[in-house]
Every structure is written in C-alpha cells, then in structure tokens.
Amino acid sequence: MSRLYVGRLPRDVRERDLERLFRGYGEIRDICLMTGFGFVEFRDRRDADDVMHDFNNRDFMGERLVIEPARADRNRERGGGGGFGRRDDPRGGSGGRGRPPFGGSGSSSGAPLRTPFRVLVENLSSSVSWQVSLRPVGCV
C-alpha cells in the first residue's frame, strides 16, 4: 500500500512542510491534509514503507508523528461503505503486522491507547462539564 495515514500533525502544518520532510523518499503522488492528521500517497509502496519505518514516532514541529498504512482506499473513504471513522471498527482489531491491538504502539511513551470502549454522556446541565477525570474504580 502506498497511501499512509500521518497522525498527530501540528494544526498549522502545510503540504510543503510534509513535502520537505519526506523529500528524498520517492515521488509523492498526493497529500491530503485535515486538522491534526492527513494522508500522503507515494508512487511506490517501498517508499511508503521506508517513510513509515523512518518517521513513525519522530518529532516534527513540536509533535510526535504517528505514521501507519491508510486503512481504506480513496474510493471507499469518499464513497462510504466503510473506512475511516466507523464506530464499530476501532482501528480494525489487531492492527496487523504484529502490532498491539487497537493501534497502540506498545511503547510506554504516554501516547493514548485506542480501545473498543466508549463513554456516552447524556442529560447534563449546561453548567456541568462533561470532561471529567476518569480514574479506575475497580472490577465491574
């Protein structure tokens, strides 16, 4: 796969910043930036693999990058039928390639770990913050 997910990007990053970062790793076919993440597509899969290996967990403009293979091709991503942001698919289970479940890096870097669990908050007064501090409360 030559399309990469690039996560934890600074809010003010531009396409040319990523072009400069990945210069020398092969021809970039497309860069698509969102707020905080983006996608970079290389012409050759081996170039994408090299970038993934060399830049994952690397500091860039004050942020630690997360670089992984993109989970869906462009047609599925834009046309529905699965892909990114599905509630019932927390990073596709095992993550593939021997990675820990749910897209975790397996390191103790303090990075958040995506799990299948979600918190649903309803019926709060507008004077109450829903952003509460979650702490372990024991066995359920």
Side-chain angles (χ1 to χ4, degrees):
M1 175 182 297
S2 64
R3 189 167 162 89
L4 297 176
Y5 164 82
V6 182
R8 300 188 72 187
L9 287 171
R11 296 180 72 84
D12 60 343
V13 72
R14 289 177 259 174
E15 284 188 26
R16 71 175 180 223
D17 297 324
L18 290 180
E19 288 171 355
R20 287 182 190 146
L21 180 66
F22 300 142
R23 181 183 304 144
Y25 279 85
E27 184 180 344
I28 296 175
R29 294 176 64 184
D30 187 33
I31 296 177
C32 179
L33 290 178
M34 315 295 184
T35 303
F37 70 97
F39 300 94
V40 178
E41 186 172 353
F42 288 86
R43 180 169 299 281
D44 190 325
R45 178 187 54 81
R46 292 170 296 187
D47 296 333
D49 289 341
D50 290 343
V51 165
M52 211 170 25
H53 179 267
D54 292 348
F55 289 95
N56 189 35
N57 268 340
R58 182 172 168 188
D59 287 330
F60 173 65
M61 295 175 65
E63 298 288 337
R64 188 169 294 272
L65 293 177
V66 174
I67 301 182
E68 301 174 345
R71 287 189 287 146
D73 64 31
R74 304 179 97 191
N75 295 332
R76 289 186 65 197
E77 177 187 331
R78 291 182 182 158
F84 303 99
R86 289 184 49 188
R87 289 179 168 237
D88 61 343
D89 181 19
R91 301 292 305 174
S94 70
R97 294 193 185 198
R99 292 186 189 151
F102 310 113
S105 64
S107 70
S108 59
S109 66
L113 175 68
R114 184 176 293 263
T115 69
F117 305 104
R118 302 290 180 256
V119 175
L120 178 64
V121 179
E122 294 178 333
N123 299 325
L124 283 182
S125 167
S126 60
S127 64
V128 175
S129 173
W130 62 269
Q131 297 171 336
V132 295
S133 173
L134 298 177
R135 56 184 164 77
V137 293
C139 296
V140 178

